[in-house]
Amino acid sequence: MRPLTVLLLCVSALCVTADEHEHTYNDKEEVVLWMNTVGPYHNRQETYKYFSLPFCEGTKKSISHYHETLGEALQGVELEFSGLDITFKDDIMQTTYCEIDLDKAKKDAFVYAIKNHYWYQMYIDDLPIWGIVGEADENGEDYYLWTYKKLEIGYNGNRIVDVNLTSEGKVKLVPNTKVQMSYSVKWKKSDVRFEDRFDKYLDPSFFQHRIHWFSIFNSFMMVIFLVGLVSMILMRTLRKDYARYSKEEEMDDMDRDLGDEYGWKQVHGDVFRPSSHPLIFSSLIGSGCQIFAVSLIVIIVAMIEDLYTERGSMLSTAIFVYAATSPVNGYFGGSLYARQGGRRWIKQMFIGAFLIPAMVCGTAFFINFIAMYYHASRAIPFGTMVAVCCICLFVILPLNLVGTILGRNLAGQPNFPCRVNAVPRPIPEKKWFMEPAVIVCLGGILPFGSIFIEMYFIFTSFWAYKIYYVYGFMMLVLVILCIVTVCVTIVCTYFLLNAEDYRWQWTSFLSAASTAIYVYMYSFYYYFFKTKMYGLFQTSFYFGYMAVFSTALGIMCGAIGYMGTSAFVRKIYTNVKID
């Protein structure tokens, strides 16, 4: 019985072991203070390892940290043990933990950091803490380093619910001197619930401002107006068209030949003709449908779960959902390609599967070179690159293949309501504003107008120091964007077909996708007038990933516009008699 008792005691000891992963602690148990990154305040993404500055470490034995999620690695989280001895509920008076031997090189490094407003980030029990490296005097001649970290930690039961840092001990930087670094810890009981401990980092006054509510209301009114306008114009116009076409059916052949034939009925033999470059077109539509599915699922998950409470959880969730929804891409892209008579379905599957990953990875690869040159923490480790490639090859590609096979077999047969003529009909001349290029340029204005206020809040949360948490707003904006996009593309397509131009597939896609151009143009305005970013690394990071975001948004809007327009075109040609 004695060995069994010992075994049970060991198991029970393991069960009650508490740490930052369980977020529960026993009295006098070690609490780890992780040092994360340091970097310029105005360049949020330009971060470096904390100990890249000549800070000294505490005397406690080092603990290694590994990236717990893919999102952590991709976001440049570089946790290093501070070496400070902190135990649960044990107060520590001001204690010197190390000494910096300040030579000229170290002094210059600190002066450069203070000039560029460097700040650093730490973590205790996954709660972020920010501090400033130092400050300059009013004349900018003398520079001072904050040497005393005064930590105040709130606890509720056996959980940490609040952490505050006060920087004190301002010491002038003078070469060939010794600078002592110290810290203290004060524990206090708190009434904050563990589930609410991240509320202090949120900014309701910013995200729930009246302008935010007004923008949603404004966009909603635009949707009602657009839907009403589209319904009224199209229903009245289509009713007249149907009446005119029915009247023409009753005429004899001579009267019909002498009649003034015009309108969308005249292109019934070409309207379902395959689009030009069907392989690329179907790959874009499939990718757009997948991006929409990812956006919808991630927003719903973010509404249910507080993803901002875990480092890198939003990015990890997005990667997982993108990989899991790969059959959506294959199904819609593969079925559309089959309906358009495509034969090279394997090539289409590869292009559809790797279109978005290649765009994202190509941009990340380019920015990674700059990050490596700067020795920034944003440089993606080689192991993480291999992991992403494995996800693409062994998860996304097989699931895309499954979707493509299902799409080709379940929805790949062309069942158009009109036969396609063997010889394409010549496209007549029309007014300049009815040209597809003009329609494409104008088509994205209203969809962009419905989301640009929300873009400001999203940009501010990503490029500045705000945590985006109002995902209910984002869901409403996504729904509004879909409705506005479909309405606009239907109107554009109707006018195009009425001008007897049957090239509606690419026009409907591009007129909705042109929203991306306006979003990217807005990002230039945001960069120059709403931020104080500077430097090659931050600028390339900003415009590189804004290009990726805008392109993905454009592909999604284009797919939504095409799908809605396709249903509209099929409906109107189903309801009219064709000889």
Side-chain angles (χ1 to χ4, degrees), residues 365-426:
F365 195 67
F366 166 72
I367 295 172
N368 210 46
F369 276 114
I370 302 174
M372 290 168 66
Y373 174 77
Y374 273 73
H375 302 287
S377 67
R378 289 276 174 173
I380 302 170
F382 178 74
T384 306
M385 291 184 181
V386 172
V388 171
C389 291
C390 288
I391 290 172
C392 291
L393 290 173
F394 302 117
V395 180
I396 292 176
L397 187 61
L399 290 178
N400 208 290
L401 173 63
V402 171
T404 302
I405 293 172
L406 288 173
R408 290 180 62 83
N409 286 282
L410 298 178
Q413 295 301 317
N415 54 344
F416 304 129
C418 308
R419 293 194 306 272
V420 178
N421 294 338
V423 180
R425 174 191 175 94

Side-chain angles (χ1 to χ4, degrees), residues 19 36-37 71 113 119 199 224 231 260 267 278 340 370 381 410 433 462 464 474 476 531 551 564:
D19 60 8
N36 185 20
T37 53
W119 62 279
D199 288 357
I224 294 175
S231 302
D260 184 18
V267 293
Q340 296 201 344
I370 302 174
L410 298 178
F433 55 82
F462 189 80
M474 191 181 283
L476 277 173
T531 72
T551 305

Side-chain angles (χ1 to χ4, degrees), residues 180-221:
Q180 292 186 337
M181 304 296 290
S182 60
Y183 79 108
S184 67
V185 180
K186 174 76 174 174
W187 291 87
K188 65 170 186 176
K189 197 168 183 179
S190 174
D191 295 328
V192 176
R193 296 191 310 157
F194 179 78
E195 295 78 14
D196 302 329
R197 65 181 191 152
F198 272 88
D199 288 357
K200 64 175 285 189
Y201 301 103
L202 308 181
D203 191 354
S205 62
F206 176 75
F207 284 105
Q208 296 182 30
H209 194 274
R210 282 181 299 174
I211 291 177
H212 206 169
W213 286 101
F214 178 74
S215 70
I216 296 293
F217 178 75
N218 191 40
S219 299
F220 185 69
M221 293 305 294

Side-chain angles (χ1 to χ4, degrees), residues 132-201:
I132 196 79
V133 172
E135 65 177 36
D137 62 6
E138 294 180 358
N139 300 322
E141 296 176 356
D142 296 325
Y143 298 90
Y144 299 88
L145 185 71
W146 295 110
T147 62
Y148 175 29
K149 294 179 177 64
K150 190 176 180 181
L151 291 164
E152 191 175 84
I153 306 176
Y155 66 92
N156 189 344
N158 60 350
R159 292 174 179 268
I160 294 173
V161 294
D162 186 29
V163 182
N164 291 298
L165 170 69
T166 305
S167 296
E168 296 181 0
K170 191 165 69 172
V171 174
K172 184 178 178 180
L173 293 172
V174 180
N176 303 317
T177 58
K178 293 186 182 294
V179 178
Q180 292 186 337
M181 304 296 290
S182 60
Y183 79 108
S184 67
V185 180
K186 174 76 174 174
W187 291 87
K188 65 170 186 176
K189 197 168 183 179
S190 174
D191 295 328
V192 176
R193 296 191 310 157
F194 179 78
E195 295 78 14
D196 302 329
R197 65 181 191 152
F198 272 88
D199 288 357
K200 64 175 285 189
Y201 301 103

Side-chain angles (χ1 to χ4, degrees), residues 76-183:
V77 175
E78 291 289 349
L79 300 189
E80 297 175 287
F81 183 49
S82 61
L84 303 188
D85 189 9
I86 302 174
T87 53
F88 191 65
K89 294 186 184 178
D90 274 357
D91 290 349
I92 300 173
M93 301 299 290
Q94 184 173 356
T95 305
T96 300
Y97 63 88
C98 69
E99 200 173 61
I100 302 173
D101 193 0
L102 197 67
D103 56 21
K104 187 178 185 305
K106 291 179 181 178
K107 185 227 174 187
D108 291 344
F110 280 124
V111 167
Y112 178 83
I114 294 168
K115 278 183 177 178
N116 289 278
H117 309 286
Y118 271 45
W119 62 279
Y120 58 87
Q121 186 184 46
M122 308 183 293
Y123 281 99
I124 287 182
D125 194 52
D126 287 346
L127 288 173
I129 320 158
W130 294 274
I132 196 79
V133 172
E135 65 177 36
D137 62 6
E138 294 180 358
N139 300 322
E141 296 176 356
D142 296 325
Y143 298 90
Y144 299 88
L145 185 71
W146 295 110
T147 62
Y148 175 29
K149 294 179 177 64
K150 190 176 180 181
L151 291 164
E152 191 175 84
I153 306 176
Y155 66 92
N156 189 344
N158 60 350
R159 292 174 179 268
I160 294 173
V161 294
D162 186 29
V163 182
N164 291 298
L165 170 69
T166 305
S167 296
E168 296 181 0
K170 191 165 69 172
V171 174
K172 184 178 178 180
L173 293 172
V174 180
N176 303 317
T177 58
K178 293 186 182 294
V179 178
Q180 292 186 337
M181 304 296 290
S182 60
Y183 79 108

